[in-house]
Each structure stands twice: as C-alpha cells, then as structure tokens.
Amino acid sequence: MSASFDLPLDPASLAAARRGERLAQAHIYRTYERAVYSLARRMTHCPEMAADIMQNCFLQAFRVIHQFRGDAPFGHWLRRIAATEALQLLRRERRYTELLLPEAVEDVHVDVSALAQMDLERLLGLLPALPRAVLWLYHVEGYSHAEIAESCGKTISFSKSQLARAHQRLRKLVQPAAPDADAAPITEPA
C-alpha cells in the first residue's frame, strides 16, 4: 500500500468533516491529495484523468463520509474510493475496448539491455488502461481479485483474466525479438 494513504487523520478533523465543515474537509484533502492523485495516475497513465479522478474521489468521500465506520484507517477507506473512481472512469471512457480489438494492440518490443534503464511507470504505460489498473491494484495496492471485481462490477474471473493479460503483455514487452527461432524465451524466476 502507498505509504501516504497510511497518514493518520485526527479524530477532531474527521468529526468536523462529518459535520460538513469546509476547513476540516480542506485539511483531509491536503493530507491525502498526493496519495489519491498518484494512485489514479498510475492506474490511468493520464494526468488529466488522474486529476478528474482525484476531484471525484474527494467529492464522493465527503458525500458519504458518514458511512466511514472507523474499522480501518481513514486513508484505507479513501484509497478504496479512489480505486473505484478510477475503474469507473476507465469503464465510462470505454478505454478497455482496446483489449477487444486485436488490431489495436501494438507489437512493441523492448531491448532487454535497455529495460534496466526503462522505469516501471513507462513500461506500465505501454499496457492498455484496464489491465494496467488491475495489475496496479493487485500487486501494488494489495487488492484481492474479489475486491477488484466488486469495484469493476464484474466477476472474479474478469479480474484474473485482466491480470493474466497484463502479465502476458509485460512478458512480451520485455522479451527481445528473437533473431532466430531457436532462441529461448525469458522465463520468470521460480
């Protein structure tokens, strides 16, 4: 989980925000804005979409703040809202259709020696939006397939297949183009 979602929120600010006090809401916004934006940016790979998601996340959070039960830290609750907002925006934008259109998939190969110099964010940016978002939520944010499926309004098998597609595309991206048919593919460490 992103460390900035773990920032503590004092009970007085939470109580004031529940009463609708704007100063308390502004305090919460300032405390978690970077974490929400970073999560949204990594899931969408688009700064403008991430900014929209961040705004929608806080609007939704303040609308339903009375539902926060305190079972987990406030940041964890907010992270769930941010992830759901990102997935919903991706669905609304229908950016996942690139998965269904084989001609839209670019055949991109990355030289393995150059891979060491390529940062993870750039590599993830080569993935379609929905598989990238599922991969991020599963591996980095620690969501389960059930949680991802619930956020997408889909089945658990949908989450698993999106993750498998993301893994498959990442493998394709990091495998060098084989100079001959006898070249051995790169395998994952056991």
Side-chain angles (χ1 to χ4, degrees):
M1 171 176 306
S2 301
S4 48
F5 278 110
D6 288 332
L7 293 172
L9 181 63
D10 62 284
S13 292
L14 178 59
R18 281 185 168 154
R19 291 190 303 268
E21 294 180 20
R22 297 289 183 209
L23 288 176
Q25 291 174 344
H27 171 70
I28 291 171
Y29 180 88
R30 283 190 308 277
T31 301
Y32 296 104
E33 70 179 313
R34 175 176 243 151
V36 171
Y37 179 82
S38 295
L39 174 63
R41 176 76 169 82
R42 287 184 174 98
M43 288 179 66
T44 63
H45 202 66
C46 175
E48 293 81 17
M49 289 176 78
D52 288 345
I53 290 165
M54 184 176 68
Q55 288 181 5
N56 291 341
C57 171
F58 282 105
L59 288 172
Q60 178 66 10
F62 295 139
R63 217 175 286 132
V64 298
I65 198 165
H66 63 279
Q67 295 176 358
F68 175 66
R69 295 185 308 256
D71 298 341
F74 182 82
H76 295 206
W77 179 78
L78 187 63
R79 177 187 74 143
R80 185 175 199 73
I81 293 173
T84 300
E85 286 293 324
L87 289 170
Q88 287 176 351
L89 181 64
L90 290 172
R91 284 179 56 203
R92 278 194 308 269
E93 295 289 322
R94 300 206 180 269
R95 293 175 58 97
Y96 63 89
T97 56
E98 62 195 75
L99 296 173
L100 307 174
L101 305 172
E103 64 274 4
V105 176
E106 295 180 28
D107 188 19
V108 180
H109 289 283
V110 177
D111 180 9
V112 175
S113 62
L115 184 62
Q117 297 170 2
M118 178 182 276
D119 63 54
L120 178 60
E121 189 169 337
R122 181 167 167 236
L123 184 60
L124 290 175
L126 297 173
L127 294 176
L130 197 54
R132 178 181 56 245
V134 170
L135 181 128
W136 187 266
L137 288 174
Y138 185 80
H139 287 297
V140 179
E141 297 295 327
Y143 275 53
S144 69
H145 285 296
E147 292 170 319
I148 295 168
E150 181 184 331
S151 295
C152 290
K154 300 284 186 177
T155 64
I156 291 173
S157 62
F158 169 82
S159 175
K160 290 180 178 180
S161 69
Q162 292 301 312
L163 185 62
R165 286 179 182 169
H167 288 161
Q168 180 182 25
R169 293 219 174 132
L170 281 174
R171 277 189 215 97
K172 272 183 148 177
L173 290 171
V174 298
Q175 280 183 335
D180 59 74
D182 296 328
I186 298 174
T187 58
E188 294 180 4

